[in-house]
Amino acid sequence: MKIFLLLTLFSLPVFPKDSQIDLASFEKVWKMINDKHWDLKSTGVNWQDIHDQYYPRAKKAQTRAEMRTVINEMISELGQTHFGLLQYEAFEELEELRDKLYFPNGTVDFIVELVEGRMMVTRPLHLDKPGSLPVGTEILSIRNIPVKEIVTALSKTFQQSSQKGLYTTRECQSYFSGTPGESLPLTVKLPNQKTETAKDVPLFQPTGISQQMGDLPPMVFQFESAVIEQNIGLISFNIFLFPLTQAFPAALKKLEHCDGLIIDLRGNGGGVGFLASNLAGYLFAERGKLGTMYSKDSEINFPILPRPNPWNKPLAIIIDSGSASTSEIFAAGIQDHKRGRVFGTQSAGAALPSFIERLPNGDRFQYAFASYLSVKGRYLEGNGVTPDTSTPHTYADLIQGQDAAIEAAVNWIKNQ
């Protein structure tokens, strides 16, 4: 089963402000909810009545702004945060930036995130070597485009999305791309320096195992493990794909002498859903389940089936706004069963297949079509996983090269 959150941005023509096109957009939003929602009865509203209530207002709408107000009010009747209307003007602005900044294939060897309004290097891509730019570097421009311009465009585009953090994180990282072997021109401010510096950072071919699922583009599975300070094992991987079934137990074997384990799921957008159950089998001693997914036509349990000699030492999970889908299902299960402690920041709240579909007038409609309920009765979609210990990045920590989540997880493990 695939659990993916996919965001595809298309080049958009300028649509005429035609009332019939806007009305068709109203009808399409209503129909998608009617056809795709997993349980409209649970919302407490009669969706046909909602259509009949709002249709006269939609038909009278004179401007696109009026129609957007009608559609947004109709959507709000659901009382669920993971449905939303995104305006096409903001997507056009963002698309122009993507044309200038996004180039497939090559990537950099560090991770960037928005921290306190700044684009910062927060950690190296690989566990065993530093990145081309040190942690705590502030990015000021990419290919001569000011980061402030990028941040403004991202904020405008995703301000109405319940998964703003997820989209923003992915979008920022995608701009650090280009042809492998070439360099990416940046303007940066290195840690504890006041002056700006021009840097040409190298671009690399992504390393890992390439996997293709169905008609989706090939994805590169990257998995790393290491022993860090105070004899703590650390595992990090970017996506839940099938090679994980071999890589994870092999890493546990290599780290069996460690006093505890950290699984870093920051930026991990999910993947194959049942792999959350697969990993849980190596970490639990008793049978159970992580939770249940409900769609309009099915109900799927995520079981815990313990393997022989599962890991029985302290376990810490790290998440952030880029942790979505299967990452959230896994982290919530660990938390619900009190098998370990979760550190980091609020996850994406994107536990389900969630799509952004273009409407006839060019706006986008984001919707989910299933609901996931954790074993302790928590709905993850639109809510996410709240860490047991909140450890957000801060500018002050980063310029000192510190990773608050890793440090907190290490300290907790050593005190168990």
Side-chain angles (χ1 to χ4, degrees), residues 118-409:
R118 307 169 188 253
M119 187 177 287
M120 303 291 296
V121 176
T122 57
R123 62 188 189 276
L125 179 64
H126 302 292
L127 299 181
D128 58 350
K129 57 183 178 181
S132 304
L133 293 176
V135 170
T137 298
E138 181 179 358
I139 311 298
L140 301 175
S141 73
I142 310 168
R143 299 186 189 276
N144 296 317
I145 297 177
V147 164
K148 288 183 179 180
E149 180 180 335
I150 296 170
V151 172
T152 298
L154 291 172
S155 178
K156 288 171 61 177
T157 303
F158 301 122
Q159 62 182 336
Q160 296 181 1
S161 172
S162 62
Q163 292 152 9
K164 177 180 178 180
L166 173 66
Y167 293 160
T168 299
T169 297
R170 290 182 174 180
E171 195 73 19
C172 285
Q173 193 67 44
S174 74
Y175 297 151
F176 291 79
S177 58
T179 303
E182 296 185 355
S183 296
L184 177 66
L186 304 174
T187 305
V188 305
K189 188 182 293 183
L190 296 171
N192 297 308
Q193 291 191 5
K194 295 182 179 180
T195 58
E196 300 179 2
T197 304
K199 287 283 186 180
D200 290 328
V201 299
L203 292 159
F204 304 93
Q205 185 74 33
T207 58
I209 302 173
S210 180
Q211 288 265 294
Q212 185 158 5
M213 296 178 57
D215 295 327
L216 295 170
M219 293 167 282
V220 178
F221 172 75
Q222 298 173 318
F223 183 99
E224 294 188 346
S225 63
V227 179
I228 60 173
E229 56 187 295
Q230 301 193 55
N231 196 38
I232 305 298
L234 174 61
I235 290 176
S236 176
F237 53 98
N238 65 327
I239 191 169
F240 283 77
L241 289 181
F242 294 107
L244 189 60
T245 60
Q246 296 182 342
F248 189 72
L252 287 183
K253 181 67 175 176
K254 186 177 74 172
L255 301 173
E256 63 183 357
H257 66 284
C258 292
D259 297 328
L261 177 65
I262 299 171
I263 301 178
D264 191 346
L265 297 177
R266 289 178 292 186
N268 187 315
V272 181
F274 77 81
L275 289 178
S277 291
N278 181 273
L279 262 62
Y282 293 100
L283 303 170
F284 285 81
E286 297 181 359
R287 294 170 68 97
K289 72 174 183 178
L290 300 174
T292 305
M293 179 168 289
Y294 301 91
S295 67
K296 198 163 188 175
D297 303 314
S298 64
E299 178 179 316
I300 302 172
N301 287 317
F302 287 70
I304 299 171
L305 304 174
R307 302 298 183 105
N309 303 313
W311 179 271
N312 59 6
K313 299 176 186 178
L315 173 66
I317 309 295
I318 303 179
I319 58 174
D320 66 3
S321 62
S323 306
S325 184
T326 314
S327 291
E328 297 181 281
I329 290 170
F330 178 73
I334 295 294
Q335 198 174 53
D336 280 355
H337 287 281
K338 301 187 184 303
R339 174 59 190 90
R341 191 166 184 84
V342 179
F343 297 82
T345 57
Q346 192 84 7
S347 68
L352 309 175
S354 176
F355 294 96
I356 291 180
E357 188 160 337
R358 188 167 63 184
L359 301 177
N361 68 2
D363 285 348
R364 299 297 211 272
F365 177 53
Q366 178 189 355
Y367 66 95
F369 57 85
S371 181
Y372 179 83
L373 189 65
S374 79
V375 71
K376 293 295 185 182
R378 292 188 290 169
Y379 287 101
L380 301 185
E381 184 67 20
N383 299 310
V385 178
T386 301
D388 299 302
T389 301
S390 179
T391 53
H393 289 301
T394 67
Y395 178 75
D397 284 343
L398 288 172
I399 61 175
Q400 298 302 319
Q402 297 174 343
D403 187 327
I406 292 289
E407 292 183 8

